[in-house]
Amino acid sequence: MTTTSYMVWLIIGCALVTWLPRVIPFIFVRSVTLPDVVLKWLSFIPVCILSALVIENLIDTESGKVVSLDWQVFITFVPTLIIALVTKSLSITVVAGVIIMAAVRFFM
């Protein structure tokens, strides 16, 4: 496969379009002191994103028109959540979740 100048400019353009929206807010916020209300509100964003990702995986909408729990994911979620609360370690939680999900898929 040959690389043309069009491809190089396309890659550079895609990199800028991806990079700029992530960097520009940090440039503007770095010199501004945000009010405590805004900082408190921003602290909830990671929890909301994580909750949305977890709930999206727990609910099975592809089996038809009825929304139901994906039992394999739910069976994996409960012990992984307990491990996360006890250890408070992201790496241990991720490794345990992967191992538990592998065991659930193997035995179910």
Side-chain angles (χ1 to χ4, degrees), residues 3 24 40 42 51 56 60 63-66 74 80 88 105-106:
T3 304
I24 289 174
K40 183 170 177 129
L42 287 172
S51 299
E56 177 189 12
D60 181 20
S63 61
K65 295 185 179 189
V66 178
F74 183 74
T80 305
K88 295 187 181 12
R105 285 187 177 169
F106 181 75

Side-chain angles (χ1 to χ4, degrees), residues 9 12 15 31 47 53 55 62 70 72 77 93 98 100 105:
W9 285 111
I12 291 170
S31 62
V47 174
L53 290 171
I55 297 300
E62 302 206 4
D70 185 350
Q72 286 185 342
F77 171 72
T93 303
V98 169
I100 294 168
R105 285 187 177 169

Side-chain angles (χ1 to χ4, degrees), residues 80-94:
T80 305
L81 178 64
I82 293 168
I83 290 169
L85 292 173
V86 170
T87 64
K88 295 187 181 12
S89 169
L90 179 62
S91 58
I92 293 172
T93 303
V94 170

